[in-house]
């Protein structure tokens, strides 16, 4: 499955969650976007040792990195106070510039470091954890840990901290459902997948 399909599937799950929570139109739009991003997150592992088919192009990753940079700027403007605000804006701008310059390799590692720094400067646990997630994802092989139950659990923690931080109902379920939808779409039982996912890492490395 390619990036666009994964994003569309994640967005659809966000829409379902929004309806379940009777969200307002603006919150629905936010959850649809959040679901779309969550549906792409597991494939942030393609910067590592590339094996098998790549589902997410370099362009998509760059766009995601820039989107995170833009979100960080907005977030800093609304949430940060004085010094933190400018630091957050600076890091966000830096991420946009750096991700547009760097080609292929190491871009994700740098993005992870940037997000981690942003998390520290804004004192946001979810952002620090997301930075760590991206850092790890940039080193593991494709369709391994980010496509496992361990990955779901890690992302679930990030999502729950995000929901607490921004106080919008449905954020946790949207992120989780969007992420899980990606793993289901990558299962080997589906005819368009040549490879499966190692769901039970590190206990078992059997591809499902
Ligand atoms: Zn995948």
């Amino acid at each position: 499955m390619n990036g666009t399909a994964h994003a569309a599937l994640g967005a659809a799950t966000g829409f379902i969650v929004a309806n379940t929570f009777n969200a307002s139109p603006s919150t629905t739009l936010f959850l649809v976007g959040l679901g779309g991003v969550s549906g792409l997150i597991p494939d942030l592992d393609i910067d590592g040792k590339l094996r098998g088919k790549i589902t997410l192009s370099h362009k998509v990753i760059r766009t995601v990195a820039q989107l995170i940079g833009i979100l960080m700027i907005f977030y800093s403007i609304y949430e940060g106070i004085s010094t933190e605000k400018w630091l957050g804006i600076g890091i966000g701008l830096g991420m946009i510039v750096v991700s547009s310059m760097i080609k292929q390799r190491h871009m994700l590692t740098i993005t992870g470091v940037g997000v981690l720094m942003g998390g520290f400067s804004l004192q946001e646990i979810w952002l620090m954890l997301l930075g760590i997630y991206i850092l790890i994802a940039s080193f593991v092989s494709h369709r391994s840990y980010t496509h496992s139950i361990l990955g779901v659990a890690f992302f679930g923690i990030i999502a729950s901290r995000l929901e607490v931080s921004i106080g919008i109902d449905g954020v946790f379920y949207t992120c989780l459902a969007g992420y899980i939808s990606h793993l289901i779409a990558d299962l080997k039982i589906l005819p368009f997948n040549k490879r499966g996912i190692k769901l039970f890492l590190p206990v078992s490395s059997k591809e499902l």
Side-chain angles (χ1 to χ4, degrees), residues 2-206:
N2 63 27
T4 315
H6 275 305
L9 199 59
T13 57
F15 186 71
I16 293 166
V17 172
N19 276 299
T20 312
F21 279 84
N22 291 316
S24 68
S26 60
T27 305
T28 300
L29 205 64
F30 174 70
L31 292 180
V32 166
L34 191 65
V37 172
S38 301
L40 288 172
I41 297 280
D43 275 352
L44 288 178
D45 61 3
I46 69 151
D47 215 25
K49 290 167 209 131
L50 291 181
R51 278 189 236 129
K53 211 178 157 215
I54 303 165
T55 54
L56 203 63
S57 74
H58 171 59
K59 241 187 190 161
V60 176
I61 290 194
R62 191 172 58 194
T63 310
V64 170
Q66 288 171 340
L67 265 175
I68 293 173
I70 291 165
L71 284 174
M72 197 179 286
I73 292 170
F74 277 112
Y75 192 81
S76 303
I77 290 170
Y78 288 110
E79 295 282 318
I81 39 166
S82 60
T83 342
E84 293 159 22
K85 185 190 273 187
W86 293 110
L87 202 60
I89 293 170
I91 293 167
L93 279 174
M95 277 176 64
I96 295 168
V97 173
V98 168
S99 60
S100 59
M101 289 187 320
I102 291 183
K103 301 246 185 302
Q104 309 279 3
R105 288 203 143 273
H106 308 306
M107 189 175 70
L108 272 172
T109 313
I110 291 161
T111 305
V113 173
V115 172
L116 189 59
M117 281 164 57
F120 276 115
S121 73
L122 291 168
Q123 288 297 301
E124 287 289 347
I125 294 168
W126 71 270
L127 208 54
M128 296 178 203
L129 292 173
L130 182 65
I132 294 167
Y133 177 100
I134 296 171
L135 261 177
I136 295 171
S138 72
F139 290 111
V140 298
S141 59
H142 187 41
R143 289 185 168 219
S144 65
Y145 282 96
T146 62
H147 290 62
S148 71
I149 289 172
L150 210 61
V152 173
F154 193 175
F155 193 68
I157 295 168
I158 298 172
S160 73
R161 301 304 311 183
L162 175 63
E163 179 166 307
V164 168
S165 183
I166 60 176
I168 296 174
D169 283 339
V171 163
F172 172 71
Y173 285 113
T174 295
C175 290
L176 203 64
Y179 196 100
I180 292 171
S181 78
H182 182 114
L183 302 198
I184 292 170
D186 272 357
L187 286 174
K188 207 159 70 176
I189 44 165
L190 297 174
F192 47 81
N193 287 327
K194 285 201 189 83
R195 294 185 58 201
I197 58 169
K198 293 168 179 169
L199 195 61
F200 298 106
L201 277 174
V203 180
S204 157
S205 53
K206 191 181 190 302

